[in-house]
Amino acid sequence: MSAKPIARYFPILQWGKAYDRQALGGDLMAAMIVTIMLIPQSLAYALLAGLPPEAGLYASIAPIILYAIFGTSRALAVGPVAVISLMTAATIGNIAEQGSMGYGVAALTLAGLSGLILLGMGVFRLGFVANFLSHPVIAGFIAASGILIATSQIRHLLGVSAGGNTLPEMLASLARAVPATNAVTLVLGVLATGFLFWVRRGMKPLLRRIGFGARFADMLTKAGPVLAVVATTLAVWGLGLDAKGVKIVGLVPQGLPPLTLPSFSPELIGALLVPALLISIIGFVESISVAQTLAAKKRQRIDPDQELIGLGAANIGAALTGGFPVTGGFARSVVNFDAGAETAAAGAFTAFGLAIAAVLLTPLIHFLPTATLAATIIVAVLSLVDFSILRRSWGYSKPDFVAVAATILVTLGMGVEAGISAGVVASVGLHLFHTSRPHVAEVGLVPGTQHFRNFRRHAVLTDPRLLSLRIDESLYFANARFLEDTIHDRLAVQGEIRDVVLMCSAVNEIDLSALESLEAINTRLGEIGVRLHLSEVKGPVMDRLKATDFLAALTGRVFLSQWDAWQALTAAPALPAREA
């Protein structure tokens, strides 16, 4: 195998050649900031996934290193994220009891399946599959998921036991549990939540007013969640609040991630396969969106298919080291980028920092209240909740609004799996709806030019004997009949038409169903003495038409341009009607 194919699958060989001291400095600074941010965040997302807190650290070590080797983004930070953690909990909660060994094994298996799916998609270059989810639908799903995640964490702020996978279930369960609220836990949770909200908006301006430099103020702001962790942990330890009913993290194993194996049970794999596919697609869409946004700022290139391989390797790494499904996170990737990360080595340095934390710092979080982790999650995910997409879609496209609203309502009312399934169906349905009724414009000649435009929008020249239709969509099974109906409806109104020209400048493909419709149109028009012509047919489309008998049976001609058709047909003789 030559060096070029190897480098394609190992992007580290490309950026590693030019690695220098300047890149090292930027990567180390970014790694330090992201590590500080990831420690509480990883613990919190493990809690959200229903797993022990150390699983969050484990899921943030090997996956980051593997992505650094196989991924193409220089700034993407891979690890547990809120939406994927919620989907993990919702999936595994239906299979095993939280806290049981079976629950942990199911999480490993889910990560392994997700990794294999992503890896397979990358090898076979199936990154386009993510396009089946439209961005408005994804935005609606993430907003609804943010509401579910935040609601699911309220029980930790109250210090009560509550459950549910949908918003009505969660609210009903919380309402029943409110009388058992632990007052001390509530105070800790509210203070931590308020502090973290203030950190996001008020801490950096305050530090700047005091006199701190912008970079140092930014670093301290990013470390805000760590301050909340330290303060509440010391409060619980110093005041003995755990004895007053405040739930704490407790004993966390001290050491590097263990070597683990997912289950190979056919029953478990069968139960997890569809959720793993949904998690893979959602994770990839979130990750590639962040990676491409950050890469564009430095004019770098992202290879979507190689990103699938990188994310697949990361998830397989999580399955083999005690983790759960991971992907590229928006917040931590932006922090990584802003902190000066030059290459994917910043991720490897971050993994090294988290490994040190797993070995040395886990005894220090014994008294960390789960309410603080819940506050961390709530503050993080509420930034994802943006329902402005409803207003924008309502003003721009009513079908898009219906799809987004349906995704949000189904996610809140039936859970994340049903929500994302509804999103896929809505996205595909929207595409079919839009393309099944393509825009077909009757065009005429703009005076003094060789350009043709819609006669309803421009003052153009037309000939009552010539019908020129511009088709603004590829022709396929869903819209083939629509074109037939459009032509016949127009002929019924204007009986003197003797030539019909289909202007195909926007037609990129004609499938077999559409070809059969064109053949039917050609035959029926010929029977009433009307010729069918094509103009501006693209090369690949013409190549496929030449492989059929359609062009030989065509009653008219194929013109290079619409101008050629206009010149030839405005004085052309009529085609006599065929006898029955």
Side-chain angles (χ1 to χ4, degrees), residues 210-243:
I210 293 175
F212 286 98
R215 192 171 184 83
F216 190 66
D218 190 60
M219 288 180 60
L220 288 178
T221 300
K222 298 295 189 301
V226 177
L227 298 178
V229 167
V230 171
T232 54
T233 301
L234 289 176
V236 172
W237 172 72
L239 300 176
L241 299 182
D242 55 319

PDB file of all heavy atoms in Angstrom, residues 210-243:
ATOM      1  N   ILE A 210     -11.747  44.139  37.326  1.00  0.00           N
ATOM      2  CA  ILE A 210     -10.782  44.089  38.433  1.00  0.00           C
ATOM      3  C   ILE A 210      -9.371  44.346  37.936  1.00  0.00           C
ATOM      4  O   ILE A 210      -8.530  44.892  38.660  1.00  0.00           O
ATOM      5  CB  ILE A 210     -10.867  42.720  39.145  1.00  0.00           C
ATOM      6  CG1 ILE A 210     -12.216  42.595  39.856  1.00  0.00           C
ATOM      7  CG2 ILE A 210      -9.734  42.541  40.144  1.00  0.00           C
ATOM      8  CD1 ILE A 210     -12.445  41.238  40.477  1.00  0.00           C
ATOM      9  N   GLY A 211      -9.090  43.963  36.674  1.00  0.00           N
ATOM     10  CA  GLY A 211      -7.758  44.200  36.136  1.00  0.00           C
ATOM     11  C   GLY A 211      -7.087  42.983  35.528  1.00  0.00           C
ATOM     12  O   GLY A 211      -5.944  43.079  35.070  1.00  0.00           O
ATOM     13  N   PHE A 212      -7.756  41.856  35.515  1.00  0.00           N
ATOM     14  CA  PHE A 212      -7.159  40.665  34.916  1.00  0.00           C
ATOM     15  C   PHE A 212      -7.113  40.812  33.396  1.00  0.00           C
ATOM     16  O   PHE A 212      -7.978  41.450  32.793  1.00  0.00           O
ATOM     17  CB  PHE A 212      -7.974  39.417  35.273  1.00  0.00           C
ATOM     18  CG  PHE A 212      -7.804  38.971  36.698  1.00  0.00           C
ATOM     19  CD1 PHE A 212      -8.730  39.325  37.669  1.00  0.00           C
ATOM     20  CD2 PHE A 212      -6.709  38.207  37.073  1.00  0.00           C
ATOM     21  CE1 PHE A 212      -8.576  38.921  38.989  1.00  0.00           C
ATOM     22  CE2 PHE A 212      -6.547  37.795  38.394  1.00  0.00           C
ATOM     23  CZ  PHE A 212      -7.478  38.148  39.347  1.00  0.00           C
ATOM     24  N   GLY A 213      -6.098  40.195  32.789  1.00  0.00           N
ATOM     25  CA  GLY A 213      -5.986  40.187  31.340  1.00  0.00           C
ATOM     26  C   GLY A 213      -7.091  39.346  30.721  1.00  0.00           C
ATOM     27  O   GLY A 213      -7.673  38.477  31.382  1.00  0.00           O
ATOM     28  N   ALA A 214      -7.373  39.609  29.450  1.00  0.00           N
ATOM     29  CA  ALA A 214      -8.476  38.914  28.780  1.00  0.00           C
ATOM     30  C   ALA A 214      -8.266  37.409  28.763  1.00  0.00           C
ATOM     31  O   ALA A 214      -9.194  36.636  29.022  1.00  0.00           O
ATOM     32  CB  ALA A 214      -8.622  39.449  27.354  1.00  0.00           C
ATOM     33  N   ARG A 215      -7.050  36.958  28.473  1.00  0.00           N
ATOM     34  CA  ARG A 215      -6.794  35.526  28.366  1.00  0.00           C
ATOM     35  C   ARG A 215      -6.935  34.831  29.721  1.00  0.00           C
ATOM     36  O   ARG A 215      -7.549  33.778  29.837  1.00  0.00           O
ATOM     37  CB  ARG A 215      -5.393  35.290  27.800  1.00  0.00           C
ATOM     38  CG  ARG A 215      -5.142  33.839  27.392  1.00  0.00           C
ATOM     39  CD  ARG A 215      -3.824  33.709  26.645  1.00  0.00           C
ATOM     40  NE  ARG A 215      -3.615  32.363  26.167  1.00  0.00           N
ATOM     41  CZ  ARG A 215      -4.112  31.871  25.048  1.00  0.00           C
ATOM     42  NH1 ARG A 215      -4.872  32.636  24.284  1.00  0.00           N
ATOM     43  NH2 ARG A 215      -3.874  30.620  24.663  1.00  0.00           N
ATOM     44  N   PHE A 216      -6.371  35.471  30.783  1.00  0.00           N
ATOM     45  CA  PHE A 216      -6.444  34.865  32.108  1.00  0.00           C
ATOM     46  C   PHE A 216      -7.879  34.873  32.623  1.00  0.00           C
ATOM     47  O   PHE A 216      -8.341  33.912  33.252  1.00  0.00           O
ATOM     48  CB  PHE A 216      -5.525  35.601  33.081  1.00  0.00           C
ATOM     49  CG  PHE A 216      -5.362  34.912  34.396  1.00  0.00           C
ATOM     50  CD1 PHE A 216      -4.726  33.684  34.472  1.00  0.00           C
ATOM     51  CD2 PHE A 216      -5.861  35.480  35.564  1.00  0.00           C
ATOM     52  CE1 PHE A 216      -4.577  33.036  35.690  1.00  0.00           C
ATOM     53  CE2 PHE A 216      -5.715  34.836  36.779  1.00  0.00           C
ATOM     54  CZ  PHE A 216      -5.071  33.608  36.845  1.00  0.00           C
ATOM     55  N   ALA A 217      -8.608  35.953  32.343  1.00  0.00           N
ATOM     56  CA  ALA A 217     -10.017  36.035  32.747  1.00  0.00           C
ATOM     57  C   ALA A 217     -10.831  34.955  32.054  1.00  0.00           C
ATOM     58  O   ALA A 217     -11.722  34.341  32.656  1.00  0.00           O
ATOM     59  CB  ALA A 217     -10.582  37.416  32.429  1.00  0.00           C
ATOM     60  N   ASP A 218     -10.505  34.709  30.791  1.00  0.00           N
ATOM     61  CA  ASP A 218     -11.211  33.673  30.050  1.00  0.00           C
ATOM     62  C   ASP A 218     -10.919  32.297  30.639  1.00  0.00           C
ATOM     63  O   ASP A 218     -11.813  31.464  30.770  1.00  0.00           O
ATOM     64  CB  ASP A 218     -10.793  33.720  28.585  1.00  0.00           C
ATOM     65  CG  ASP A 218     -11.658  32.829  27.709  1.00  0.00           C
ATOM     66  OD1 ASP A 218     -12.877  33.051  27.666  1.00  0.00           O
ATOM     67  OD2 ASP A 218     -11.119  31.909  27.085  1.00  0.00           O
ATOM     68  N   MET A 219      -9.668  32.041  31.021  1.00  0.00           N
ATOM     69  CA  MET A 219      -9.295  30.765  31.624  1.00  0.00           C
ATOM     70  C   MET A 219     -10.044  30.543  32.932  1.00  0.00           C
ATOM     71  O   MET A 219     -10.563  29.455  33.201  1.00  0.00           O
ATOM     72  CB  MET A 219      -7.787  30.703  31.868  1.00  0.00           C
ATOM     73  CG  MET A 219      -6.947  30.548  30.610  1.00  0.00           C
ATOM     74  SD  MET A 219      -5.187  30.494  30.984  1.00  0.00           S
ATOM     75  CE  MET A 219      -5.100  29.053  32.059  1.00  0.00           C
ATOM     76  N   LEU A 220     -10.116  31.579  33.771  1.00  0.00           N
ATOM     77  CA  LEU A 220     -10.818  31.442  35.045  1.00  0.00           C
ATOM     78  C   LEU A 220     -12.311  31.209  34.833  1.00  0.00           C
ATOM     79  O   LEU A 220     -12.947  30.451  35.581  1.00  0.00           O
ATOM     80  CB  LEU A 220     -10.601  32.697  35.898  1.00  0.00           C
ATOM     81  CG  LEU A 220      -9.206  32.881  36.496  1.00  0.00           C
ATOM     82  CD1 LEU A 220      -9.127  34.192  37.264  1.00  0.00           C
ATOM     83  CD2 LEU A 220      -8.853  31.715  37.428  1.00  0.00           C
ATOM     84  N   THR A 221     -12.869  31.841  33.815  1.00  0.00           N
ATOM     85  CA  THR A 221     -14.284  31.645  33.515  1.00  0.00           C
ATOM     86  C   THR A 221     -14.550  30.208  33.086  1.00  0.00           C
ATOM     87  O   THR A 221     -15.537  29.593  33.511  1.00  0.00           O
ATOM     88  CB  THR A 221     -14.723  32.608  32.400  1.00  0.00           C
ATOM     89  OG1 THR A 221     -14.502  33.955  32.827  1.00  0.00           O
ATOM     90  CG2 THR A 221     -16.191  32.422  32.079  1.00  0.00           C
ATOM     91  N   LYS A 222     -13.658  29.655  32.251  1.00  0.00           N
ATOM     92  CA  LYS A 222     -13.812  28.266  31.832  1.00  0.00           C
ATOM     93  C   LYS A 222     -13.699  27.312  33.020  1.00  0.00           C
ATOM     94  O   LYS A 222     -14.276  26.226  33.026  1.00  0.00           O
ATOM     95  CB  LYS A 222     -12.742  27.902  30.790  1.00  0.00           C
ATOM     96  CG  LYS A 222     -12.810  28.707  29.508  1.00  0.00           C
ATOM     97  CD  LYS A 222     -14.073  28.444  28.743  1.00  0.00           C
ATOM     98  CE  LYS A 222     -14.054  29.065  27.348  1.00  0.00           C
ATOM     99  NZ  LYS A 222     -13.876  30.521  27.321  1.00  0.00           N
ATOM    100  N   ALA A 223     -12.946  27.748  34.048  1.00  0.00           N
ATOM    101  CA  ALA A 223     -12.765  26.908  35.238  1.00  0.00           C
ATOM    102  C   ALA A 223     -13.899  27.086  36.239  1.00  0.00           C
ATOM    103  O   ALA A 223     -13.859  26.496  37.329  1.00  0.00           O
ATOM    104  CB  ALA A 223     -11.430  27.230  35.900  1.00  0.00           C
ATOM    105  N   GLY A 224     -14.912  27.875  35.894  1.00  0.00           N
ATOM    106  CA  GLY A 224     -16.026  28.126  36.802  1.00  0.00           C
ATOM    107  C   GLY A 224     -16.678  26.876  37.354  1.00  0.00           C
ATOM    108  O   GLY A 224     -16.889  26.761  38.568  1.00  0.00           O
ATOM    109  N   PRO A 225     -17.005  25.879  36.507  1.00  0.00           N
ATOM    110  CA  PRO A 225     -17.596  24.646  37.031  1.00  0.00           C
ATOM    111  C   PRO A 225     -16.698  23.944  38.040  1.00  0.00           C
ATOM    112  O   PRO A 225     -17.197  23.333  38.987  1.00  0.00           O
ATOM    113  CB  PRO A 225     -17.781  23.790  35.769  1.00  0.00           C
ATOM    114  CG  PRO A 225     -17.943  24.775  34.666  1.00  0.00           C
ATOM    115  CD  PRO A 225     -17.022  25.908  35.031  1.00  0.00           C
ATOM    116  N   VAL A 226     -15.381  24.038  37.859  1.00  0.00           N
ATOM    117  CA  VAL A 226     -14.465  23.428  38.831  1.00  0.00           C
ATOM    118  C   VAL A 226     -14.581  24.130  40.175  1.00  0.00           C
ATOM    119  O   VAL A 226     -14.550  23.491  41.241  1.00  0.00           O
ATOM    120  CB  VAL A 226     -13.013  23.480  38.313  1.00  0.00           C
ATOM    121  CG1 VAL A 226     -12.054  22.924  39.358  1.00  0.00           C
ATOM    122  CG2 VAL A 226     -12.886  22.705  37.016  1.00  0.00           C
ATOM    123  N   LEU A 227     -14.731  25.457  40.150  1.00  0.00           N
ATOM    124  CA  LEU A 227     -14.904  26.204  41.400  1.00  0.00           C
ATOM    125  C   LEU A 227     -16.169  25.757  42.125  1.00  0.00           C
ATOM    126  O   LEU A 227     -16.176  25.608  43.356  1.00  0.00           O
ATOM    127  CB  LEU A 227     -14.972  27.708  41.102  1.00  0.00           C
ATOM    128  CG  LEU A 227     -13.723  28.331  40.462  1.00  0.00           C
ATOM    129  CD1 LEU A 227     -13.971  29.811  40.175  1.00  0.00           C
ATOM    130  CD2 LEU A 227     -12.521  28.158  41.373  1.00  0.00           C
ATOM    131  N   ALA A 228     -17.247  25.532  41.362  1.00  0.00           N
ATOM    132  CA  ALA A 228     -18.490  25.058  41.977  1.00  0.00           C
ATOM    133  C   ALA A 228     -18.298  23.675  42.578  1.00  0.00           C
ATOM    134  O   ALA A 228     -18.793  23.382  43.674  1.00  0.00           O
ATOM    135  CB  ALA A 228     -19.608  25.038  40.935  1.00  0.00           C
ATOM    136  N   VAL A 229     -17.570  22.818  41.879  1.00  0.00           N
ATOM    137  CA  VAL A 229     -17.297  21.469  42.381  1.00  0.00           C
ATOM    138  C   VAL A 229     -16.499  21.530  43.678  1.00  0.00           C
ATOM    139  O   VAL A 229     -16.832  20.866  44.670  1.00  0.00           O
ATOM    140  CB  VAL A 229     -16.533  20.648  41.314  1.00  0.00           C
ATOM    141  CG1 VAL A 229     -15.959  19.377  41.931  1.00  0.00           C
ATOM    142  CG2 VAL A 229     -17.450  20.302  40.152  1.00  0.00           C
ATOM    143  N   VAL A 230     -15.440  22.336  43.688  1.00  0.00           N
ATOM    144  CA  VAL A 230     -14.581  22.434  44.877  1.00  0.00           C
ATOM    145  C   VAL A 230     -15.355  22.999  46.063  1.00  0.00           C
ATOM    146  O   VAL A 230     -15.299  22.467  47.178  1.00  0.00           O
ATOM    147  CB  VAL A 230     -13.352  23.313  44.569  1.00  0.00           C
ATOM    148  CG1 VAL A 230     -12.563  23.600  45.852  1.00  0.00           C
ATOM    149  CG2 VAL A 230     -12.450  22.637  43.540  1.00  0.00           C
ATOM    150  N   ALA A 231     -16.105  24.080  45.828  1.00  0.00           N
ATOM    151  CA  ALA A 231     -16.816  24.741  46.922  1.00  0.00           C
ATOM    152  C   ALA A 231     -17.880  23.834  47.539  1.00  0.00           C
ATOM    153  O   ALA A 231     -17.967  23.712  48.776  1.00  0.00           O
ATOM    154  CB  ALA A 231     -17.459  26.033  46.412  1.00  0.00           C
ATOM    155  N   THR A 232     -18.684  23.190  46.709  1.00  0.00           N
ATOM    156  CA  THR A 232     -19.753  22.353  47.259  1.00  0.00           C
ATOM    157  C   THR A 232     -19.208  21.070  47.879  1.00  0.00           C
ATOM    158  O   THR A 232     -19.749  20.571  48.863  1.00  0.00           O
ATOM    159  CB  THR A 232     -20.777  22.007  46.156  1.00  0.00           C
ATOM    160  OG1 THR A 232     -20.100  21.414  45.043  1.00  0.00           O
ATOM    161  CG2 THR A 232     -21.519  23.255  45.691  1.00  0.00           C
ATOM    162  N   THR A 233     -18.120  20.543  47.317  1.00  0.00           N
ATOM    163  CA  THR A 233     -17.498  19.357  47.898  1.00  0.00           C
ATOM    164  C   THR A 233     -16.947  19.665  49.288  1.00  0.00           C
ATOM    165  O   THR A 233     -17.136  18.888  50.245  1.00  0.00           O
ATOM    166  CB  THR A 233     -16.362  18.833  46.988  1.00  0.00           C
ATOM    167  OG1 THR A 233     -16.892  18.509  45.711  1.00  0.00           O
ATOM    168  CG2 THR A 233     -15.717  17.595  47.589  1.00  0.00           C
ATOM    169  N   LEU A 234     -16.270  20.802  49.416  1.00  0.00           N
ATOM    170  CA  LEU A 234     -15.744  21.210  50.727  1.00  0.00           C
ATOM    171  C   LEU A 234     -16.877  21.459  51.719  1.00  0.00           C
ATOM    172  O   LEU A 234     -16.752  21.131  52.911  1.00  0.00           O
ATOM    173  CB  LEU A 234     -14.888  22.472  50.569  1.00  0.00           C
ATOM    174  CG  LEU A 234     -13.533  22.290  49.869  1.00  0.00           C
ATOM    175  CD1 LEU A 234     -12.845  23.640  49.685  1.00  0.00           C
ATOM    176  CD2 LEU A 234     -12.644  21.341  50.669  1.00  0.00           C
ATOM    177  N   ALA A 235     -17.979  22.029  51.222  1.00  0.00           N
ATOM    178  CA  ALA A 235     -19.120  22.295  52.102  1.00  0.00           C
ATOM    179  C   ALA A 235     -19.703  21.000  52.645  1.00  0.00           C
ATOM    180  O   ALA A 235     -19.996  20.876  53.844  1.00  0.00           O
ATOM    181  CB  ALA A 235     -20.175  23.100  51.357  1.00  0.00           C
ATOM    182  N   VAL A 236     -19.874  20.015  51.773  1.00  0.00           N
ATOM    183  CA  VAL A 236     -20.419  18.727  52.208  1.00  0.00           C
ATOM    184  C   VAL A 236     -19.472  18.037  53.179  1.00  0.00           C
ATOM    185  O   VAL A 236     -19.885  17.501  54.224  1.00  0.00           O
ATOM    186  CB  VAL A 236     -20.691  17.824  50.989  1.00  0.00           C
ATOM    187  CG1 VAL A 236     -21.076  16.417  51.438  1.00  0.00           C
ATOM    188  CG2 VAL A 236     -21.799  18.416  50.135  1.00  0.00           C
ATOM    189  N   TRP A 237     -18.181  18.056  52.868  1.00  0.00           N
ATOM    190  CA  TRP A 237     -17.182  17.408  53.730  1.00  0.00           C
ATOM    191  C   TRP A 237     -17.041  18.123  55.071  1.00  0.00           C
ATOM    192  O   TRP A 237     -17.072  17.500  56.133  1.00  0.00           O
ATOM    193  CB  TRP A 237     -15.840  17.381  53.001  1.00  0.00           C
ATOM    194  CG  TRP A 237     -14.707  16.918  53.856  1.00  0.00           C
ATOM    195  CD1 TRP A 237     -14.471  15.656  54.296  1.00  0.00           C
ATOM    196  CD2 TRP A 237     -13.648  17.737  54.393  1.00  0.00           C
ATOM    197  NE1 TRP A 237     -13.344  15.610  55.072  1.00  0.00           N
ATOM    198  CE2 TRP A 237     -12.809  16.886  55.140  1.00  0.00           C
ATOM    199  CE3 TRP A 237     -13.330  19.091  54.304  1.00  0.00           C
ATOM    200  CZ2 TRP A 237     -11.668  17.355  55.810  1.00  0.00           C
ATOM    201  CZ3 TRP A 237     -12.197  19.564  54.948  1.00  0.00           C
ATOM    202  CH2 TRP A 237     -11.386  18.702  55.693  1.00  0.00           C
ATOM    203  N   GLY A 238     -16.930  19.448  55.010  1.00  0.00           N
ATOM    204  CA  GLY A 238     -16.695  20.211  56.232  1.00  0.00           C
ATOM    205  C   GLY A 238     -17.896  20.255  57.157  1.00  0.00           C
ATOM    206  O   GLY A 238     -17.742  20.238  58.387  1.00  0.00           O
ATOM    207  N   LEU A 239     -19.089  20.298  56.610  1.00  0.00           N
ATOM    208  CA  LEU A 239     -20.295  20.425  57.430  1.00  0.00           C
ATOM    209  C   LEU A 239     -21.014  19.088  57.634  1.00  0.00           C
ATOM    210  O   LEU A 239     -22.059  19.052  58.291  1.00  0.00           O
ATOM    211  CB  LEU A 239     -21.262  21.425  56.767  1.00  0.00           C
ATOM    212  CG  LEU A 239     -20.716  22.853  56.564  1.00  0.00           C
ATOM    213  CD1 LEU A 239     -21.720  23.712  55.809  1.00  0.00           C
ATOM    214  CD2 LEU A 239     -20.372  23.486  57.921  1.00  0.00           C
ATOM    215  N   GLY A 240     -20.459  18.030  57.060  1.00  0.00           N
ATOM    216  CA  GLY A 240     -21.090  16.713  57.222  1.00  0.00           C
ATOM    217  C   GLY A 240     -22.479  16.657  56.633  1.00  0.00           C
ATOM    218  O   GLY A 240     -23.382  16.015  57.205  1.00  0.00           O
ATOM    219  N   LEU A 241     -22.671  17.307  55.486  1.00  0.00           N
ATOM    220  CA  LEU A 241     -24.015  17.387  54.903  1.00  0.00           C
ATOM    221  C   LEU A 241     -24.510  16.053  54.362  1.00  0.00           C
ATOM    222  O   LEU A 241     -25.721  15.878  54.179  1.00  0.00           O
ATOM    223  CB  LEU A 241     -24.031  18.437  53.778  1.00  0.00           C
ATOM    224  CG  LEU A 241     -23.683  19.879  54.193  1.00  0.00           C
ATOM    225  CD1 LEU A 241     -23.774  20.813  53.005  1.00  0.00           C
ATOM    226  CD2 LEU A 241     -24.601  20.343  55.314  1.00  0.00           C
ATOM    227  N   ASP A 242     -23.586  15.134  54.091  1.00  0.00           N
ATOM    228  CA  ASP A 242     -24.029  13.821  53.610  1.00  0.00           C
ATOM    229  C   ASP A 242     -24.853  13.099  54.666  1.00  0.00           C
ATOM    230  O   ASP A 242     -25.727  12.291  54.348  1.00  0.00           O
ATOM    231  CB  ASP A 242     -22.829  12.970  53.186  1.00  0.00           C
ATOM    232  CG  ASP A 242     -21.798  12.841  54.290  1.00  0.00           C
ATOM    233  OD1 ASP A 242     -21.523  13.843  54.982  1.00  0.00           O
ATOM    234  OD2 ASP A 242     -21.259  11.736  54.459  1.00  0.00           O
ATOM    235  N   ALA A 243     -24.576  13.406  55.919  1.00  0.00           N
ATOM    236  CA  ALA A 243     -25.348  12.810  57.003  1.00  0.00           C
ATOM    237  C   ALA A 243     -26.746  13.415  57.088  1.00  0.00           C
ATOM    238  O   ALA A 243     -27.634  12.867  57.753  1.00  0.00           O
ATOM    239  CB  ALA A 243     -24.625  13.000  58.332  1.00  0.00           C
TER     240      ALA A 243
END
